[in-house]
Amino acid sequence: MEFPFDISLTVRYQDLDMLGHVNNTTYATYFEQARIEYIDRVLGIRFDEWDMVIANLNIDFERQIPPEVETVRVDCGVVEFGGSSLRMQSRVVPEGWDDPAASSEATLVALKNGTPMEI
């Protein structure tokens, strides 16, 4: 997939595990930050205007990000729109790398008063 959007994020000390690698739970946060920025900047929807929940999140870990990596680029884009949902793909690429350290697919559902709403 060609990704239409990316953001650059600083790898923070709190992102590291006891071995000094980026902790696997941190990737979900990186993906979340990219999704929020994408929805706001590309789709023109302020994230706080809609209730959106993640119905499904898959992360494939390709390789560890070592402690000397200072920034990562998170690429993302929508691959499918449903009536009340959208499916996004993302990847985390450490600075200086050609290949991703992890990739993700997420399905988000838009809600209004707890009921799925048309996007």
Side-chain angles (χ1 to χ4, degrees), residues 52-117:
M52 294 190 98
V53 296
I54 294 180
N56 187 37
L57 175 65
N58 294 308
I59 300 175
D60 292 319
F61 299 97
E62 316 276 335
R63 57 193 52 83
Q64 297 177 357
I65 299 177
E68 61 270 10
V69 172
E70 295 180 3
T71 61
V72 296
R73 185 186 77 238
V74 185
D75 305 323
C76 70
V78 172
V79 293
E80 181 181 14
F81 280 99
S84 61
S85 66
L86 55 94
R87 190 167 52 93
M88 297 184 73
Q89 290 183 347
S90 308
R91 66 182 180 186
V92 173
V93 182
E95 65 177 291
W97 294 22
D98 294 326
D99 296 319
S103 56
S104 172
E105 184 168 293
T107 302
L108 288 80
V109 177
L111 302 175
K112 185 169 187 160
N113 299 323
T115 303
M117 65 176 274

Side-chain angles (χ1 to χ4, degrees), residues 5 7 29-48 52 76 88 90 108:
F5 181 79
I7 62 170
T29 302
Y30 292 166
F31 292 128
E32 177 184 55
Q33 288 180 273
R35 281 193 310 270
I36 290 169
E37 292 292 327
Y38 179 91
I39 290 168
D40 180 39
R41 293 190 211 171
V42 177
L43 300 182
I45 301 168
R46 286 195 22 209
F47 199 75
D48 60 352
M52 294 190 98
C76 70
M88 297 184 73
S90 308
L108 288 80

Side-chain angles (χ1 to χ4, degrees), residues 7-20:
I7 62 170
S8 181
L9 300 173
T10 300
V11 176
R12 304 162 299 173
Y13 176 77
Q14 69 186 21
D15 295 345
L16 306 177
D17 61 19
M18 291 177 53
L19 299 174

